[in-house]
Amino acid sequence: MSTKAYAARAADSPLSPFSLSRRDPLPNDVLIDILYCGVCHSDLHQVRNEWHNTVYPCVPGHEILGRVSKVGKDVKKFKEGDLAAVGCMVDSCRTCPSCKAGLEQFCETGGTVFTYNGPDKHLGGVTFGGYSENVVVDEAFALKVSDKVKDLAAAAPLLCAGITTYSPLKHWKVGPGQTVGIVGLGGLGHMGVKFAHAFGAHVVLFTTSPGKAEDAKRLGADEVVVSKDPDAMAARARSFDFILDCVSAQHDVNAYLNLLKLDGTLTLVGAPENPLPVAAFNLILPRRNFAGSAIGGIPETQEMLDFCAERGIGCDVELINIQDVETAYDRLLKSDVRYRFVIDMASLKN
Ligand code: NAP
Ligand code: ZN
Ligand code: ZN
């Protein structure tokens, strides 16, 4: 099946039209016609080869929402016409302890197949993501989207920005009585603020962009700290239970480790290109934890989507045409995102 898409041909060339092949749906597959695809900063890291593993041509996109247009004969979860979504993974080994526990992103055999730039075991080469007309995926890796969801574009980024912040906040049991920091008000950060607020924590947003303060409060932050202000940072020393670091670029994590209480945890979800130095004494006194987290498993992603559908939680999005994706990337690099770009896939036909 020939499918229209946008691809990067090299780290330094802009995305442009591309035609790719999708497999014909197998018995357990669904074919999803893509309505919306979010633009994650990971797409940008990947197309510019900042993680040093990109295979070109590269078709990014892992915040996919659309409608099922064909189902394989053994598919049980979906029928034609249903809403469906795909996040960062399209397969895993399904038999190791992590996969069996619904933590497919941590597949112990290295079997996690990412939605793009992963090994495509059906067609060879690499998987192609959601900056395209459609996607074919095993129903086990497709998510249900409730008919209660009215703004579909606002739901698409839940598939990465949503689950990547929901999962660590749940894992570290963020809730009432805790002071929780979210670092960086971009795609991930703005969902981190919404979820931490929904879970009942006292939420403090750290930003390098003073102009985002009002938005942060509207999104659910109780307080905003401009991280470039050393006095404001010093005043917060040893006062946080948990901090979620959603920054896409090089920054000083020690400045945030210093804000943790005894036994507090700083969890990194941002994935900058280069290592982040940590000063030993910022961890050993007073017994702090520096942790990481990656997206979330399929069952937890479904739980998060249902939680959002019930509560009317969506992302704050700016809808763009696919022809404008490079402009969106430029704006991401300037932290000028409010707060997720989402591609209206109808624009592929332009
Ligand atoms: P984004 O929308 O571009 O947001 C990043 C935010 O970080 C910016 O808006 C800005 O917020 C802040 N920032 C940018 N440059 C900075 C700098 N030099 N110093 C301090 N703060 C800076 O990016 P995103 O899509 O949310 O993704 C964030 C990171 O998470 C990326 O590295 C992405 O690859 C990674 N990621 C990881 C996972 C995972 O599973 N762990 C999943 C998805 C994405 P302010 O303007 O508020 O300062
Ligand atoms: Zn992502
Ligand atoms: Zn596995």
Side-chain angles (χ1 to χ4, degrees):
M1 197 189 328
S2 168
T3 293
K4 279 189 196 165
Y6 257 56
R9 268 55 173 220
D12 55 0
S13 76
L15 269 68
S16 58
F18 176 66
S19 177
L20 58 85
S21 295
R22 298 288 187 199
R23 66 178 181 269
D24 288 326
L26 299 168
N28 292 302
D29 284 342
V30 290
L31 170 65
I32 301 169
D33 289 341
I34 302 174
L35 296 167
Y36 299 106
C37 184
V39 176
C40 180
H41 206 113
S42 299
D43 301 350
L44 177 53
H45 290 308
Q46 192 77 64
V47 299
R48 305 258 164 106
N49 200 21
E50 288 171 15
W51 296 330
H52 313 288
N53 65 354
T54 307
V55 178
Y56 296 98
C58 174
V59 177
H62 58 207
E63 294 181 336
I64 298 170
L65 194 145
R67 259 187 213 286
V68 174
S69 60
K70 199 171 178 185
V71 294
K73 70 173 176 51
D74 297 335
V75 167
K76 295 191 179 61
K77 245 164 66 177
F78 296 94
K79 59 181 190 324
E80 239 178 79
D82 283 353
L83 291 170
V86 179
C88 301
M89 301 178 280
V90 290
D91 208 351
S92 72
C93 90
R94 309 189 198 193
T95 55
C96 76
S98 290
C99 286
K100 285 202 159 146
L103 296 167
E104 302 87 350
Q105 74 275 35
F106 305 129
C107 176
E108 291 161 37
T109 67
T112 310
V113 180
F114 291 101
T115 303
Y116 56 82
N117 205 61
D120 186 331
K121 60 186 172 204
H122 302 278
L123 300 176
V126 292
T127 51
F128 293 125
Y131 294 12
S132 63
E133 276 177 295
N134 56 36
V135 65
V136 177
V137 60
D138 189 305
E139 66 166 336
F141 284 78
L143 288 305
K144 303 275 287 179
V145 177
S146 161
D147 287 325
K148 283 188 187 152
V149 177
K150 294 299 166 233
D151 188 347
L152 298 178
L158 295 175
L159 276 298
C160 178
I163 186 59
T164 302
T165 50
Y166 181 94
S167 181
L169 293 172
K170 280 269 166 175
H171 180 78
W172 277 278
K173 301 186 169 56
V174 160
Q178 294 184 0
T179 302
V180 169
I182 305 290
V183 188
L185 199 66
L188 268 55
H190 95 288
M191 291 314 298
V193 168
K194 288 193 188 198
F195 286 134
H197 174 72
F199 298 163
H202 182 83
V203 184
V204 181
L205 184 268
F206 293 93
T207 183
T208 58
S209 310
K212 292 181 180 175
E214 243 174 72
D215 283 346
K217 292 201 169 157
R218 175 177 57 76
L219 295 166
D222 297 288
E223 299 177 67
V224 176
V225 173
V226 176
S227 52
K228 291 184 281 198
D229 176 350
D231 294 338
M233 293 294 280
R236 303 287 166 150
R238 290 199 182 205
S239 66
F240 282 82
D241 298 280
F242 183 79
I243 299 177
L244 189 65
D245 183 334
C246 305
V247 174
S248 52
Q250 215 57 24
H251 62 292
D252 181 15
V253 290
N254 297 290
Y256 298 99
L257 287 170
N258 281 328
L259 307 188
L260 294 173
K261 294 177 185 169
L262 170 68
D263 289 331
T265 297
L266 171 67
T267 295
L268 193 66
V269 286
E273 177 174 7
N274 296 310
L276 301 169
V278 171
F281 278 96
N282 289 336
L283 284 179
I284 60 186
L285 287 173
R287 197 169 61 191
R288 292 166 169 142
N289 305 295
F290 185 34
S293 184
I295 44 173
I298 295 295
E300 194 176 38
T301 305
Q302 191 62 63
E303 173 192 309
M304 179 272 316
L305 286 174
D306 296 346
F307 177 86
C308 290
E310 264 328 297
R311 306 261 187 134
I313 296 175
C315 305
D316 285 37
V317 307
E318 197 175 322
L319 210 55
I320 61 166
N321 289 335
I322 196 153
Q323 293 79 6
D324 298 325
V325 70
E326 288 290 330
T327 311
Y329 284 170
D330 290 344
R331 285 182 53 193
L332 279 188
L333 288 173
K334 292 183 197 141
S335 301
D336 177 20
V337 52
R338 313 246 164 164
Y339 283 87
R340 193 55 134 192
F341 295 106
V342 170
I343 304 167
D344 180 352
M345 214 47 73
S347 62
L348 250 186
K349 299 191 177 80
N350 294 351

